[in-house]
Amino acid sequence: MRLLFSICFLSFILSSSATDYNVLDYGAKPDGTTLCTEQIQAAINAAYRRGGGRVVIPKGRFLSGSIYLKSKIELHLEEGAVLQGSLNADHYDRLGLWKALLLSDGQHDIALSGPGELDGNGRAVALRLDSLFYAGGLDSAHYNFADRRPKFYTRPTLIQFLNCQHVDVRNLTLRRAACWVQSYQQCEDLTIDNIRVESDTYWNNDGIDIVDCQEVRLTNSYFNCSDDGICIKSHFANLIGENIFINNCTVRSSASAIKFGTNSLGGFRNVTIKNIKVFDTFRSAIAIESVDGGILENITIDSVEATNTGNAIFIKLGHRVKGDVATLKNVTIQNVKVEVPFGRPDYAYELRGPDLPFFHNVFPSSITGFQEHYVENVVLKNIEITFPGKGNKGLAYRPLSDLDQIPEKENVYPEFSMFGELPAWGFYVRHVKGLVFQNISLHLKAADHRPAFVFDDVHGLEMEEVKVVGESKEKKVILRNTSETKIEDSAWIQEIK
């Protein structure tokens, strides 16, 4: 079915490209100061009335508010073309939660293509909104007093496509969003290839959000953003994101690079992510979160290389909403190499991640459910993680006798630092059934007072070809309330009550 969709869509693009509609012919001015919203929309409407075609934005800078993309239309930005967002937030329409420069709702066979650029001029837009609040022009209900900035939904994204089918986005550069860079919600047969995101401009600059979408391909793309990089979300309990393939992408993020959640109401199923490079990322290289009642199952992550990244792997099952408890099972993570620094990995960002309100040693990777609710069937294979060490008892010291005091925090926002200080430097694992560690290498650059592994309430644990380099302690694996174990080097084990 997906192949048929793609063939039909390609046929549409090839046939429609013979009919071009240049926005200059409809009065658009490439001077960067004349508002061209109506003229660009007129070109799109003309192509739509005639059954589809390619709307061309030529070289130049075209200032615009919200534009609606319609069925069987390709919006093509030529080399040197820039579609620049207006500074006036009133020039943007809202679709669902978001205002956006490019909108599409319930359309089919739509395309965006480059090599031109979308430029949201986001910081200027956000600061203008901030000034409007202090001048009395923005209602206080839309202002975040804790963070001292306009709330995220007041700030426009670059792309908001909702409930669309057969969508193709390729060869574009997306710059300087005021909030999320691009959001695709409830879309089916979505292809995104060879895009570049440069948006560490303002808060909440997720590189891409794929929300409750089916049949998705994201490939050959680059993300530099001041929030999560590639983010898969689920906003509705009756919907699910599934059959998603992500390959050959690079991410720099002041939050997490690859993230499932945090919103996870319906859930995620059948997702494959391969060949990802991560660098200078504040939080986790891989964050898998199922905390809002949905399912998360059949996830494969293969070949991830991350340098200067605050955390390697974070897997969390939680329960933030009333009703059904979420599930998290059948996850394979393999061929992963991560280097965790001692200091801030995002020091070079203009907008860095938030400091924690407590002293702490470097956090380990973690896999956690919560009491009587288990993460199930996780396989970690061919993984190498280098840690800086330097953990000491004088800094937020938590002894092994204190395991009962580590909070569950199943109903709060999930993050790798959420538990506070943890008693392992490599992996902390709690409330898991079915866990395989195969060919795992943990490297410690300097001494750390903590053991490499702590397993608490874990059942069905296999550890094969596990290496710990730079660790002088004899007991490297701590087991508590743990059963059905198969650990290759039994001399490493210390069981505690």
Side-chain angles (χ1 to χ4, degrees):
M1 181 64 72
R2 179 183 163 77
L3 180 59
L4 177 61
F5 285 164
S6 299
I7 292 172
C8 292
F9 189 79
L10 181 60
S11 297
F12 148 68
I13 291 295
L14 292 175
S15 62
S16 66
S17 63
T19 306
D20 283 355
Y21 298 80
N22 193 310
V23 298
L24 294 178
D25 296 334
Y26 294 82
K29 304 295 184 184
D31 55 17
T33 58
T34 303
L35 192 66
C36 300
T37 312
E38 293 182 1
Q39 292 78 12
I40 298 172
Q41 191 65 57
I44 292 172
N45 293 347
Y48 177 70
R49 286 193 300 269
R50 295 166 187 162
R54 188 173 76 158
V55 175
V56 177
I57 298 181
K59 183 178 180 180
R61 187 170 290 269
F62 295 82
L63 186 68
S64 181
S66 289
I67 296 168
Y68 289 83
L69 198 57
K70 298 185 178 183
S71 295
K72 297 186 178 180
I73 301 297
E74 176 188 1
L75 182 62
H76 177 71
L77 285 78
E78 293 186 338
E79 182 76 41
V82 179
L83 183 61
Q84 180 175 310
S86 169
L87 293 181
N88 189 339
D90 292 336
H91 290 163
Y92 298 91
D93 295 340
R94 188 180 304 280
L95 177 57
L97 183 62
W98 298 108
K99 292 183 174 183
L101 178 60
L102 292 180
L103 301 169
S104 194
D105 183 9
Q107 304 300 299
H108 63 87
D109 301 303
I110 58 177
L112 294 172
S113 61
E117 301 183 1
L118 304 181
D119 185 347
N121 206 6
R123 184 175 299 176
V125 175
L127 292 178
R128 179 167 175 167
L129 279 168
D130 193 68
S131 298
L132 279 175
F133 165 71
Y134 286 103
L138 179 68
D139 192 292
S140 62
H142 304 307
Y143 197 81
N144 187 326
F145 288 92
D147 295 329
R148 300 181 66 182
R149 56 179 176 261
K151 289 186 177 179
F152 60 91
Y153 57 79
T154 66
R155 298 178 260 126
T157 71
L158 297 183
I159 299 171
Q160 162 73 329
F161 287 175
L162 173 64
N163 194 29
C164 294
Q165 294 182 318
H166 321 321
V167 179
D168 191 280
V169 180
R170 62 182 67 237
N171 304 328
L172 279 171
T173 297
L174 289 78
R175 297 188 187 277
R176 302 193 300 170
C179 198
W180 288 6
V181 175
Q182 53 191 321
S183 175
Y184 305 91
Q185 301 189 21
Q186 302 169 45
C187 293
E188 183 179 355
D189 190 28
L190 168 65
T191 298
I192 302 169
D193 181 63
N194 192 35
I195 66 169
R196 185 176 185 93
V197 171
E198 295 283 0
S199 190
D200 57 355
T201 301
Y202 202 70
W203 304 103
N204 311 111
N205 274 191
D206 286 9
I208 184 170
D209 289 272
I210 300 168
V211 185
D212 291 316
C213 293
Q214 293 80 43
E215 307 296 339
V216 178
R217 290 181 63 86
L218 168 61
T219 53
N220 307 316
S221 295
Y222 178 93
F223 300 88
N224 172 26
C225 45
S226 56
D227 210 316
D228 297 316
I230 299 173
C231 201
I232 305 171
K233 296 179 181 286
S234 177
H235 283 180
F236 295 94
N238 62 334
L239 298 175
I240 189 169
E242 63 181 334
N243 301 333
I244 297 171
F245 178 73
I246 299 171
N247 182 48
N248 193 33
C249 294
T250 299
V251 182
R252 177 183 188 254
S253 164
S254 66
S256 292
I258 302 294
K259 183 175 178 180
F260 291 78
T262 295
N263 286 10
S264 48
L265 278 78
F268 322 100
R269 181 171 54 208
N270 303 334
V271 180
T272 299
I273 301 174
K274 299 177 64 176
N275 302 315
I276 305 297
K277 291 186 178 180
V278 179
F279 70 104
D280 296 353
T281 288
F282 177 60
R283 290 177 175 155
S284 302
I286 300 167
I288 300 176
E289 303 165 4
S290 183
V291 295
D292 293 329
I295 67 169
L296 189 153
E297 62 185 29
N298 303 341
I299 310 298
T300 300
I301 299 176
D302 186 357
S303 302
V304 176
E305 183 176 343
T307 57
N308 195 37
T309 298
N311 180 253
I313 298 169
F314 174 72
I315 300 176
K316 177 59 182 170
L317 174 66
H319 188 48
R320 300 194 305 170
V321 298
K322 293 181 180 179
D324 294 338
V325 176
T327 62
L328 198 167
K329 61 184 179 181
N330 303 338
V331 175
T332 297
I333 302 174
Q334 60 188 10
N335 303 317
V336 173
K337 185 175 182 179
V338 182
E339 177 256 325
V340 178
F342 185 74
R344 293 190 64 107
D346 64 340
Y347 67 90
Y349 277 76
E350 292 187 28
L351 292 173
R352 291 175 288 277
D355 285 322
L356 295 175
F358 57 89
F359 294 111
H360 60 87
N361 290 303
V362 173
F363 294 102
S365 291
S366 62
I367 307 170
T368 60
F370 61 99
Q371 197 165 29
E372 299 182 1
H373 294 278
Y374 292 85
V375 174
E376 301 179 65
N377 302 329
V378 175
V379 176
L380 303 181
K381 184 167 62 174
N382 304 333
I383 293 176
E384 180 180 342
I385 309 174
T386 300
F387 292 89
K390 301 184 182 180
N392 67 82
K393 295 183 179 182
L395 186 65
Y397 173 46
R398 184 182 288 279
L400 293 174
S401 60
D402 199 24
L403 293 184
D404 276 337
Q405 302 305 310
I406 298 174
E408 298 281 357
K409 291 196 173 182
E410 73 276 10
N411 59 354
V412 302
Y413 189 94
E415 202 57 81
F416 73 91
S417 57
M418 65 188 297
F419 303 111
E421 179 77 0
L422 285 172
W425 62 263
F427 274 89
Y428 172 75
V429 183
R430 180 171 62 176
H431 307 311
V432 177
K433 289 184 177 179
L435 175 61
V436 175
F437 281 71
Q438 183 179 3
N439 191 24
I440 308 297
S441 296
L442 303 185
H443 296 255
L444 197 62
K445 288 185 176 181
D448 197 303
H449 74 280
R450 300 168 293 179
F453 298 92
V454 170
F455 299 97
D456 189 0
D457 190 23
V458 176
H459 308 281
L461 168 66
E462 296 183 25
M463 301 182 74
E464 181 182 355
E465 297 182 71
V466 176
K467 300 177 183 178
V468 178
V469 179
E471 168 68 272
S472 60
K473 293 185 289 295
E474 180 182 355
K475 302 300 182 182
K476 298 173 174 58
V477 176
I478 306 301
L479 304 180
R480 180 176 182 267
N481 300 327
T482 295
S483 66
E484 302 175 53
T485 63
K486 183 181 178 182
I487 300 175
E488 197 171 60
D489 196 334
S490 59
W492 285 8
I493 300 171
Q494 177 184 351
E495 295 194 47
I496 63 173
K497 294 183 179 181

